[in-house]
Amino acid sequence: MKKIICKNEAEIAEISAAMIAEQIFIKRESVIGLATGSTPEGLYRKLGEMCKNGDLDFSGVRTFNLDEYYPIKKSSDQSYDYFMWDRLFSHINIERENVHIPNGECADPAEECIAYEQKIASAGGIDIQVLGIGVNGHIGFNEPEAELKMDTHLTGLTPSTIEANSRFFSSVGEVPTKALTMGMGTIMKARSIIMLITGEHKAAITEKIFSGVVTTDVPASFLNLHPNVTVLLDEAAAAKLK
Ligand code: GLP
């Protein structure tokens, strides 16, 4: 994994947006994998600005989000669907039919997951995937477990993830306990990956992913096996690296 230590979040947003822009310049109809969470918000703001200034054109781009709570209404302001439209899609010239987010309202999650994998495959696979990381090392909602799943699936959330994500809900009890998520295989098949890590609270997990060990206890450690991963991190997240 290539790592770039940045001065601050603004520099991370700047560099990651430039990487996405380069991908779209090379291939107008790029397939981009997207993440939610606080970390990519700066990147999304920057992409919105570039599009508004006429420096970036999303009209041919197709996107696939990593995950969504289950069950959840799209209209709920805690849904990842709502987050993505609010932070990014409403600010860029993307076609609605080119946006894909696992459907937290679906009646049959198993069917939804199979269909989601098929849609990614028929788009030709993901060219560039944006990732954040959970404090427990999860990517998407692939939580630390003895076995990790390859494909998009319905998963249970760990107590630590429910706790970490409760800041977006009025109480811990309101956080959904399940989610639909791309699997480890779905993520690892992306042709390139940009992982964004910021903050002191991510320093311990950052140290683990760069420790040279691959383990299902830290799902993000599998990114060490991918040939094209760039990790953009701020100084606080990089504090424990040698
Ligand atoms: C969520 C998402 C992840 C995200 C992580 C980190 O649980 N499922 O895709 O990477 O949280 O979020 P944050 O960037 O807010 O720390």
Side-chain angles (χ1 to χ4, degrees), residues 36-40 66-67 80 132-134 138 140-141 161 165 167 202:
T36 50
S38 311
T39 318
L66 278 169
D67 49 14
Y80 286 172
I133 185 171
H138 74 213
F141 272 129
T161 295
N165 291 6
R167 66 189 195 277
K202 300 273 176 81

Side-chain angles (χ1 to χ4, degrees), residues 34-41 66-69 80 130-135 138-143 157 161 164-165 167-168 181 196 198 201-202:
L34 295 172
T36 50
S38 311
T39 318
E41 288 192 273
L66 278 169
D67 49 14
E68 176 62 285
Y69 291 115
Y80 286 172
V130 177
L131 289 180
I133 185 171
V135 279
H138 74 213
I139 47 177
F141 272 129
N142 293 277
E143 297 277 42
L157 302 182
T161 295
N165 291 6
R167 66 189 195 277
F168 301 110
T181 181
L196 312 180
T198 57
H201 64 303
K202 300 273 176 81

